[in-house]
Each structure stands twice: as C-alpha cells, then as structure tokens.
Amino acid sequence: MAGGMAGEARRTTGPLSGVRVADFSVHAAGPFAGLMLAELGAQVIKIESSARLDITRRTHTMYGKPPSSFEQINANKMSACLNLKEPRAVELALELVQVSDLVLENFRPGVMDRLGLGYGTLREVKPDIILVSLSSNGQTGPDRNYAGYAPMFAALGGLGHLTGYSDGPPVELRHGMDHTGGMLGAFAAVAALCAKRGNNLGQHVDVSLRDMGSSFIGPALLDYAMNGREAIRQGNRDESAAPQGVYRCRGQDAWVSISVASEVEWQGMLRAMGNPVWAQGDEFGDAFRRWKAHDRLDGLIDVWTAKHTPSEAADLLQNHGVAAAPSLTPDQLLSNDHLLERGAFPKILHSEKGEQKAVAPPWRLSRTPAVIDQWTPDLGENNLDVFHGILGLSASEVKRLQEAKVIW
Amino acid sequence: MVNPRPATPAALDGLRVLELAGMVAAPFCGKLLAALGADVLKIETPMTGDPSRRRGPFPGDVPHHERSGTFLYLNTGKRSLTLNVDDPQGRIILGQLASQSDVLIHDIQPGRAAALGLDQEILSQIDQDLIVAAITPYGSSGPNANHIAYDINVFHAAGEGNLLPNGLALDRFPDRAPITAGSFMGSYQGGIAAAVGIAGAVFAKMGGLHGQSVDCSIQEAQLAIGYLPIQRLEAEGFVETRFSRFFRVGGVMPAEDGYVELLTLEPRQWESLGEFLGSPEWAAAERFEDPAAHGAEINRNVRDWTGGRPKDWLYHQGQAQGVPFAPYYTPKEVFENPHQRDRGYFVNVDHPEAGSYDYAGLPFRMSETPPSLERAPLMGEHNDQVLHSMGYTPEDVVMLARAGVI
C-alpha cells in the first residue's frame, strides 16, 4: 500500500471537495490534470488495468524501471482496476460515471467510443456529465488521429521553433508540455464544473495540446499576420530588455539570469558591478545601443559575474533593484531557503520508502487549502473502496470479478 | 461589454473580475476567464497603460499603444479603465470596484501590494465575498517575495531553465549558458496555473463559501509542472542536468526544409520506424532495446535519412505508418496550417485602431459553453461607462481626468 484513500472517504479541504472524477487517462498530460483536481480536493478515481499498464507502472526502455519518480503524477488519487475489454467492466465503468461529476481521458480520439464510453453513451447514463478529453491535436481536424508526445505538441504548435540558440536547432520541450496541457485541462474542467454548478450543464471539453503550443506564441503569430515576419528563436534574449541573459558565474556550471528592462535598472546594475570603467562612456548609454552591442556587452558582464557565485551575483543585483536569479539545479531547488519557507516540498509518508518530499500544489488558498498528502496508490489498491464502497457490489462479487479478470 | 456575446451561455457568465496586472502571466489568466464569459475589467496606469502596449509587434512596424500585438492578444474580451492607484481617490475607486467584484487578480508583489492597501486583511474587510488572486514571481511570502523578476529569471529560478537545451548541450553546445523557453512560456504556465486556482475558488464560492485569497507563485507553478527532476532526485538520488536529459533514440532531427521531432517510445513504434526507413540493419528492432549501446548510431543514421526529406512528408508519411514524427513549424506554417484551420482554431478579430487579423484562438473547446474571442479594449475605453455606473457625474469624470486619477 503506497498511499491511497481509505473507504469512501472524500477529500475535505480543497475547493473541489465533494466532486468525483473518473479518471481514465494514462501517461502524463491527463493524469496531471487529474492530479491538479485531486490537489484541489476532488475525489479522483484512476481507472486502470493490468491488461494494459499505464506507462508509469511498468519498466520502460526510455524511462527505465518502474520509476519511483512517478510517485507524484497520480498522488491523492484512488486506483480501481477495470479491464475494459470485458463488457461487464464497461458496465461498471458506466455505473461509476453515473455517480461521478466529471470524466477525464486522453486516448486518441475515437478510443472512448470504441470502448463503449463515448460522450453520447456517458450522457445517456448521466445527462449532466462533463467529459474532458485531452489530446495531441484535438478531437477534430485532419491530423486528429496522429500520435503525439510532449515535444511534438511544442513542435507542431510553433513554440519549439522559438526555443533554442539563434544559431542552433529548435529545442525539445519535454514533460513540462504534457503537464502544462494537464494544467490547461484542469482549468477547462473546473470551468465546466462551474457551468454545471451554475446551470446544470454537462458537456464535452476538447483540449488540444498542439493548440496550446500555438496559444503560447500568440504575439509571434500576430507578427506574421500583421507583417509577414517570421519570429525566430534567440536563446536567452528578448527585445524588451538589454542586457538580458544567463551569465557564467564562479563555480562548476554555475549561472545567473539577469534582465535589465529600464534605464533605472541599468544604472542599478552599474552600481552593483562597482561602476566599471567600460560603462563610463556612451557606448552602452541607452537600451538601443545596448541591444545593438549585446554580444560585446555580454562578454563584459561575464567577466563580472565570473567573480561571483550565482547567489552572490543575484543578491548584489537585487540589492540595486535589478532582476537577477540563480539558474537553479534540482538539488539547489530542494534546499532553496525561499521555497522551503513557503513549504514548497511537503513530506508525505511512503509505506516502503519512509518520508519523501513532494512538490506542493501551485496555489495557497486561504479558505479551502489545496494539498498533496498521499502518494500514488498501488494498482487496484482501492478496488474494494470503489466497487463495494461506492458502487455497492458485495465484497464476494468484487472478488469474483477480480478472479474473472473484469476488475483486473 | 463592448461586443455582443454569442447567444450561447458561457461557463463563467456573470463573473465580475478586476484585473490589475501587466505583461503576460496575469493578463493571460484574465484572458482565459474573459473567454469563458467573465466580465474582466482591466485597470491600466493612465497615459502609459499595460507595458505590453509598447512591446509590439505593430502593424507595419509603426509603434502605437493601441496596435501592439502582445497587448491585443493577451487582453481579448476585457474592458479597460485607466486608474492611478497611487492616488488617494484612485485607491478609493479601486476599493469601490473591488467591493462590486467577485475576483480581483493582481500581479503586485507583497511589499507594494501592502502599500496600496491590497493585502488580504484590508480587502477582506471590504468584502467577505471577494476572491483576491496575487500572481507574482515568487508568491506573497518568503524571503524572495519582493525580488524583482522577469520571465527569464523565474524560469531559471524554477529549475526548467537549468535543464534546457537538454542533450543539445552535450552534443553541440557544452560551453554555453542554459537557455529560456521562447515566447514567455513560463509566464503562460503561471497564468494557466493561477486560472485553475481561481476557478476553484469561484466554484467553492458558487457552492456557498465566502471569498478567499489565492496566492499564486509563478515559480511554484513552474515547479509543479516540472516536478519530475525533483522526484527523480528525491526518490532515486539522481540529479538531472541538461547534459543527461535527452532521448537516446529520436529527438530533434534535421529535415530538408527545417527540423522534425521523432519520438518512438513503444516497441511497435520502433518496428514501424524500421520499416519506414526501409528496414536497414542498423534499425533492427532489437537495437532499440539497448538505446545506450545503439542509440547514437541509430540517431546518426536517422539524421542522414531525414535530412534529405521535407518535414511535412516525414510527418504525414511517418504518422500514416505509425511513426511519431512532428515538424517544427514556423509561425507562417502554424498560421497557414490546414489542421488548425480546419478546427477553426484561428479567429478573426477586428479592432478599431489595429485592424482586422486572424488571432491564435483558445486551446480548448466546450460543447455547451463555447469560449469566445473578442477584441482587446482601447486604453481607458470604458472609463465613462464604469465611472458613470458607480455614480460619478460626467463633470466628476472630467475632474478625475484633470487630477490625473484616471
């Protein structure tokens, strides 16, 4: 027993407490949406099966052994098994839908229909059900059935093209794209819950992660619409600030980010650097000149930052009103004073591994706190809770269905 | 509202939102709420407005504060009131507006927020039913809460920055600085995460609870999204770096006309890839099972093969044969893309000053409460409407303008 929720217990603290979610999603984007809803207090039941283990449950060539690093993605949830190839399992899934508010899935379009769990069917058994579908390309359009993973959404959407060194290839945006899609799915889900609470409306929500990639480059797309100009990646630079960059500091692979967006900030930076001689003249006297001479300027700044550790440089610059922050590594994040003081890494007891740090929910809600307090449950850990406790099957019937590989 | 809304209901119809924020993160959050029917009133500093009004892109490259693409895109569907919140009367108006709102979104760091009277204690006295969401770089508490930060700083303070450009760092640029995702991605992530928390608080309020404060740290939003390296370290003791993080098989591949992404995560996809490549020995299925031994060779050969072929050919032919390819599309290619056009992703928006353009649309659909995209407001476009509805006379409005309050 890794985590899991006892009995029919509902989560009590978050704004979504009382909401029940049937989560059929797999891999990263969908489960992350479910995680956000669970952190906000929804009772999220992960429906999964030994017949087709979620990628985070099995040894994987790319990811290695069933990684304990996936403990977080299905945290706070219950796990119930259904082998959806069995008609009785589909019936049970529909019974669960009848007592749920929202269904989450991220299969390719059409798969839920083939499973007998399409929106039309769900609506027949529960007229105000909300179905949230996350997919690479959306539920419509000629590419809808194409496979997609995180870096591919960013590539297709145009965000990948805009990330990277100006003289290098585009850069893969990794699992963050999946999870951001999950965050977006969680937003659409909660908005649909509001519509349901306000107007008793159920509906089908279609979240496209490729469209999300495009929605992050809205201004670049307008630049093309307005001027026919194609924006290109430019490393750490941005036209709104000069200098701006990530600069080498004292220490092994140590870096500080700096961004100077105004004349006042530039003056502050000069003071922080001890008013260097090279900045006395007009060469870097305004943002335009600094932008035009950015390469040379970066070299001069590097000489100064190289004398300091990232936090020394950042502190000096902050003291003079300049935006600067160390480029933090995972171990530095876990020991970061600010994050620790804010409780960004709550400890959760793991039955086998003892206390392990999780990453906190990204909101501090004063009246209805969001929490993460239980690790990903074991496969089927809550079979009895769900099928006996919630759906009312007898314990012996649950056992029989387990033996028949329906609850499996 | 400026524009008539469609006849269909919207998910957040009737929600009154006050937005005191600039640039990307909090305005994107406000834009999402506006698209779902919330009445979002944006407070802008008189004369200058949201800094994104000066950022561009501008039609014909002629700078104009009503024609900046960044502003036009991030503020669709909102109303605009110019208000000097440093002025005593300005703060009174802000307080009055807050008492008539369901949600106040702001991006003001705690030191200055307290000086403006925006800390929760004061606002909760104004109205028990107000939801106050602060969307700030490092959150509303902690030693760095008042640190000045832009998109690049938060992105590197949240961990993902240090891990980019992934394996490219090893292959091509071992001596270069880690980079920042393009187009303010981290700020968009902060805005979406905040929107989730706010929508949650709205849902709770609809269920009969009072308002509350929602402290949204953009750093923590990115950390939540990028939790995996933290978990790998905590659970496995493995410190991920940009030199260790790459796909041993697949990744960014050159194409004749740009780049494609290739990702074969499942055995059936390796098999399909082998067939797609014409079943060469170096791409035999068993070689994929030991990526540490064979990944580099496979990738080298795949690069030679993809480099001579167009990216759209690789995409469509590859996908048809079960090989997950995706092209790195440029803005033009996204803008003209048949798939997104077919989905109706782009929305034509007409703006009285900027003109008529196709805008990137909303990245989700709702069958019963479809989101909508309406034009961004002119600076102070709704001053008269808002102030008159609050009981200020036309003469008062003139005086407020003269006094620099609005």
Side-chain angles (χ1 to χ4, degrees), chain B residues 210-231:
Chain B
H210 288 302
Q212 56 184 317
S213 71
V214 187
D215 173 11
C216 305
S217 154
I218 300 171
Q219 179 188 33
E220 286 167 16
Q222 293 179 25
L223 200 57
I225 286 166
Y227 76 85
L228 207 46
I230 299 289
Q231 282 290 289

Side-chain angles (χ1 to χ4, degrees), chain B residues 377-390:
Chain B
L378 303 170
M379 195 174 5
E381 181 174 346
H382 303 89
N383 284 5
D384 288 355
Q385 185 193 76
V386 171
L387 293 164
H388 292 168
S389 76
M390 294 170 72

Side-chain angles (χ1 to χ4, degrees), chain A residues 15-16 19 32 58 60-62 67-69 73 137-143 146-147 149 151-152 155-159 161-165 167 169-172 174-176 179-180 183-184 187 190-191 193-194 197-198 201-206 208 210-212 214-219 221-224 226-227 229-230 236 238 240 246 248 253 255 257 259 261 265 318 322-324 326-331 333-334 338-339 341-342 356-357 363-368 375, chain B residues 36 55 57-61 69 73 138 140-145 147-148 150 152-153 156-157 159 162 165-166 172-173 175-180 182-184 188-189 193 195-197 199-200 203 206-207 209-215 219-221 224-225 227-228 231-236 240 242 245-247 249 251-252 259 261 263 265-266 269-270 288 315-316 319 325-332 334-337 339-340 342-343 345 357 361 363-369:
Chain A
L16 301 186
V19 170
F32 190 85
R58 56 189 154 99
H60 191 270
T61 317
M62 305 296 266
S68 40
S69 54
I73 187 80
N137 296 297
Q139 302 293 311
T140 64
D143 300 354
Y146 286 4
Y149 302 110
M152 296 166 66
L156 289 161
L159 183 60
H161 171 79
L162 293 178
T163 300
Y165 301 115
D167 57 349
V171 165
E172 283 166 342
R174 303 270 303 233
H175 54 264
H179 301 158
T180 309
M183 190 68 87
L184 181 68
F187 171 67
V190 183
L193 286 167
C194 288
R197 186 165 261 183
L201 279 172
Q203 56 186 321
H204 188 187
V205 179
D206 168 12
S208 157
R210 168 188 189 159
D211 288 351
M212 178 182 79
S214 301
S215 292
F216 288 1
I217 65 160
L221 291 169
L222 267 178
D223 198 11
Y224 179 73
M226 288 172 169
N227 301 313
R229 180 184 296 113
E230 294 232 68
N236 284 311
D238 181 82
S240 292
V246 175
R248 186 186 300 279
D253 193 39
W255 305 89
S257 66
S259 179
E265 290 168 16
Q318 286 287 346
V322 179
S327 182
L328 296 175
T329 59
D331 49 321
L333 285 165
L334 272 171
H338 175 77
L339 292 169
E341 185 168 320
R342 280 179 60 79
Q356 299 258 302
K357 288 181 202 142
W363 329 272
R364 303 289 185 279
L365 289 142
S366 61
R367 195 179 297 276
T368 56
W375 288 120
Chain B
L36 294 180
R55 185 177 160 80
F58 304 101
D61 291 324
Y73 173 68
Y138 302 116
S140 297
S141 68
N144 298 354
H147 278 191
I148 175 172
Y150 298 108
I152 184 176
N153 308 111
H156 282 270
N162 197 264
N166 309 313
R172 297 268 308 266
F173 305 109
D175 298 325
R176 288 203 193 173
I179 56 162
T180 307
S183 193
F184 291 73
Y188 284 90
Q189 291 173 326
V196 177
F203 181 77
M206 289 174 82
L209 294 185
H210 288 302
Q212 56 184 317
S213 71
V214 187
D215 173 11
Q219 179 188 33
E220 286 167 16
I225 286 166
Y227 76 85
L228 207 46
Q231 282 290 289
R232 289 204 74 182
L233 176 56
E234 181 67 5
E236 299 164 21
E240 187 117 70
R242 64 190 184 285
R245 189 169 76 162
F246 60 95
F247 294 110
V249 176
V252 184
Y259 295 91
E261 179 75 23
L263 264 187
L265 295 181
E266 304 289 344
Q269 293 167 342
W270 313 331
F288 289 88
Y315 176 45
H316 293 294
Q319 288 277 356
F325 272 109
Y328 278 89
Y329 279 144
T330 67
K332 175 180 195 283
V334 174
F335 191 78
E336 293 172 352
N337 190 268
H339 174 76
Q340 282 169 301
D342 184 84
R343 270 175 70 69
Y345 171 71
Y357 296 102
F364 57 90
R365 308 295 169 80
M366 302 178 81
S367 63
E368 303 302 316
T369 58

Side-chain angles (χ1 to χ4, degrees), chain B residues 121-206:
Chain B
E121 212 173 333
I122 293 171
L123 281 167
S124 65
Q125 287 167 13
I126 296 174
D127 192 337
Q128 279 290 312
D129 285 336
L130 186 64
I131 294 163
V132 182
I135 306 172
T136 57
Y138 302 116
S140 297
S141 68
N144 298 354
N146 289 306
H147 278 191
I148 175 172
Y150 298 108
D151 178 82
I152 184 176
N153 308 111
V154 183
F155 195 70
H156 282 270
E160 183 66 12
N162 197 264
L163 296 173
L164 291 180
N166 309 313
L168 257 186
L170 188 68
D171 289 350
R172 297 268 308 266
F173 305 109
D175 298 325
R176 288 203 193 173
I179 56 162
T180 307
S183 193
F184 291 73
M185 180 186 84
S187 297
Y188 284 90
Q189 291 173 326
I192 295 178
V196 177
I198 292 167
V202 169
F203 181 77
K205 193 181 158 189
M206 289 174 82

Side-chain angles (χ1 to χ4, degrees), chain A residues 71-378:
Chain A
E71 279 291 355
Q72 174 135 3
I73 187 80
N74 291 300
N76 280 22
K77 300 181 191 175
M78 303 168 87
S79 168
C81 288
L82 280 177
N83 177 8
L84 293 169
K85 287 173 192 143
E86 297 288 336
R88 179 66 184 130
V90 175
E91 282 172 22
L92 287 170
L94 290 173
E95 284 179 39
L96 192 58
V97 169
Q98 274 181 316
V99 294
S100 298
D101 301 287
L102 190 141
V103 173
L104 188 60
E105 65 96 6
N106 66 337
F107 299 115
R108 285 199 219 180
V111 170
M112 285 292 272
D113 289 309
R114 286 204 291 281
L115 290 169
L117 296 169
Y119 177 59
T121 310
L122 301 189
R123 202 174 172 167
E124 273 169 32
V125 302
K126 181 93 193 314
D128 63 348
I129 195 72
I130 296 163
L131 172 62
V132 176
S133 297
L134 280 78
S135 62
S136 177
N137 296 297
Q139 302 293 311
T140 64
D143 300 354
R144 67 185 177 281
N145 289 320
Y146 286 4
Y149 302 110
M152 296 166 66
F153 321 141
L156 289 161
L159 183 60
H161 171 79
L162 293 178
T163 300
Y165 301 115
S166 58
D167 57 349
V171 165
E172 283 166 342
L173 293 164
R174 303 270 303 233
H175 54 264
M177 287 305 291
D178 282 320
H179 301 158
T180 309
M183 190 68 87
L184 181 68
F187 171 67
V190 183
L193 286 167
C194 288
K196 183 176 165 175
R197 186 165 261 183
N199 294 315
N200 299 316
L201 279 172
Q203 56 186 321
H204 188 187
V205 179
D206 168 12
V207 182
S208 157
L209 274 64
R210 168 188 189 159
D211 288 351
M212 178 182 79
S214 301
S215 292
F216 288 1
I217 65 160
L221 291 169
L222 267 178
D223 198 11
Y224 179 73
M226 288 172 169
N227 301 313
R229 180 184 296 113
E230 294 232 68
I232 183 75
R233 52 193 167 271
Q234 47 183 347
N236 284 311
R237 289 192 184 163
D238 181 82
E239 295 88 343
S240 292
Q244 173 171 301
V246 175
Y247 298 92
R248 186 186 300 279
C249 291
R250 186 157 58 77
Q252 177 72 24
D253 193 39
W255 305 89
V256 67
S257 66
I258 302 172
S259 179
V260 172
S262 73
E263 212 47 43
V264 172
E265 290 168 16
W266 174 243
Q267 292 304 323
M269 180 159 183
L270 293 183
R271 285 197 303 280
M273 294 192 297
N275 290 309
V277 176
W278 54 260
Q280 303 295 314
D282 289 340
E283 185 182 359
F284 305 114
D286 57 47
F288 180 81
R289 302 193 69 140
R290 292 193 291 276
W291 177 256
K292 286 291 181 187
H294 210 312
D295 285 341
R296 189 174 126 71
L297 182 54
D298 280 351
L300 293 162
I301 294 169
D302 265 329
V303 172
W304 179 76
T305 53
K307 295 175 195 152
H308 303 279
T309 65
S311 47
E312 283 168 9
D315 287 348
L316 273 165
L317 290 160
Q318 286 287 346
N319 287 340
H320 289 90
V322 179
S327 182
L328 296 175
T329 59
D331 49 321
Q332 289 164 348
L333 285 165
L334 272 171
S335 61
N336 182 268
D337 288 345
H338 175 77
L339 292 169
L340 292 178
E341 185 168 320
R342 280 179 60 79
F345 304 109
K347 287 180 182 158
I348 310 178
L349 188 64
H350 191 285
S351 55
E352 286 149 31
K353 297 167 195 152
E355 276 197 331
Q356 299 258 302
K357 288 181 202 142
V359 175
W363 329 272
R364 303 289 185 279
L365 289 142
S366 61
R367 195 179 297 276
T368 56
V371 295
I372 180 167
D373 57 8
Q374 283 164 319
W375 288 120
T376 293
D378 289 340

